[in-house]
Amino acid sequence: SYVLTQPPSVSVAPGQTARITCGANNIGSKSVHWYQQKPGQAPVLVVHDDGDRPSGIPERFSGSNSGDTATLTISRVEAGDEADYYCQVWDTYSDHPGVFGGGTKLTVL
Amino acid sequence: QVQLVQSGAEVKKPGASVKVSCKASGYTFIGYFMHWVRQAPGQGLEWMGWINPSSGDTNYAQKFQGRVTMTRDTSFNTAHMELSSLRSDDTAVYYCARDGENWYFDYWGQGTLVTVSS
């Protein structure tokens, strides 16, 4: 099955830029979606289709996807951005098409 | 506004079954697939399957084939997920999530904790 690899943790100071990667074979050929999950809460979609933001998500959240790596970029990081972030793709012809990365804990220093 | 409201926490014994409900409002229920995703304590997200509320068609992850059943009641705009032959490693928060039309999950329920313990 298709495996998405994320770093377990990323740390960044407030006001800086955080980049969270999601690696997989030729992931650039798929649409990548990103979710933010704070403790005790349901996930929230922050980026879909590589780089589109749902309404209500700040412009500070952006995404890119090429080759074997997709990246979620959070600019001007705030304390409230501290959360777990998950990437997700749909592997259409798999017997387990809904695939999530293992998640990345973003710590705001 | 779109809302998905799930049923309350459950405690089950190994070997039992559990049925979790997800009531949708704020949109046309039959217009969007519904997915189920679970999260074991301290772990990541795991996709379980989807149901087409319009037709009742389903697609389950291979891992759950034979143990999971997803249904819907269009009269009540509610989706259900039943998991049978429960084991301790089925202890998790179970989420329903609406399909965002390109196989992503744009709205999520609040989650239902299912605890499997003897």
Side-chain angles (χ1 to χ4, degrees):
Chain A
S1 60
Y2 200 67
V3 176
L4 302 177
T5 301
Q6 297 183 237
S9 63
V10 168
S11 298
V12 65
Q16 299 304 303
T17 297
R19 294 179 179 85
I20 299 172
T21 59
C22 178
N25 182 41
N26 199 26
I27 195 173
S29 67
K30 299 182 183 299
S31 293
V32 179
H33 319 296
W34 293 91
Y35 305 87
Q36 175 194 69
Q37 186 181 34
K38 296 182 179 180
Q41 298 183 19
V44 172
L45 179 70
V46 293
V47 166
H48 65 88
D49 295 297
D50 296 341
D52 293 338
R53 278 185 313 277
S55 60
I57 300 300
E59 291 184 7
R60 300 185 297 105
F61 289 82
S62 62
S64 62
N65 183 20
S66 179
D68 293 337
T69 305
T71 303
L72 173 70
T73 301
I74 309 172
S75 304
R76 302 180 300 282
V77 166
E78 303 173 355
D81 298 331
E82 186 162 290
D84 293 326
Y85 290 84
Y86 295 89
C87 58
Q88 177 253 319
V89 302
W90 195 260
D91 191 23
T92 304
Y93 302 108
S94 166
D95 59 8
H96 193 119
V99 183
F100 288 96
T104 298
K105 168 68 176 177
L106 175 66
T107 299
V108 181
L109 300 170
Chain B
Q1 71 284 19
V2 174
Q3 281 193 307
L4 302 175
V5 178
Q6 298 184 221
S7 50
E10 303 263 11
V11 179
K12 296 291 182 180
K13 294 192 182 302
S17 297
V18 69
K19 190 171 186 177
V20 179
S21 299
C22 171
K23 182 171 176 58
S25 62
Y27 72 99
T28 302
F29 178 63
I30 61 172
Y32 297 81
F33 285 21
M34 189 73 78
H35 299 263
W36 290 88
V37 176
R38 77 176 187 179
Q39 185 172 36
Q43 303 301 308
L45 302 169
E46 181 176 32
W47 177 80
M48 299 180 68
W50 58 251
I51 182 168
N52 178 347
S54 179
S55 65
D57 289 345
T58 56
N59 184 26
Y60 306 140
Q62 179 70 25
K63 173 178 179 177
F64 300 103
Q65 289 275 1
R67 282 211 304 144
V68 70
T69 304
M70 296 178 187
T71 57
R72 91 291 190 217
D73 185 337
T74 56
S75 299
F76 293 97
N77 289 349
T78 300
H80 306 277
M81 187 284 299
E82 184 169 20
L83 189 62
S84 63
S85 302
L86 290 169
R87 309 183 288 255
S88 58
D89 61 0
D90 290 318
T91 294
V93 176
Y94 289 76
Y95 294 101
C96 59
R98 194 185 80 161
D99 187 273
E101 297 187 342
N102 191 26
W103 305 110
Y104 57 87
F105 316 118
D106 60 353
Y107 292 92
W108 295 65
Q110 83 276 20
T112 297
L113 175 61
V114 175
T115 302
V116 183
S117 173
S118 56

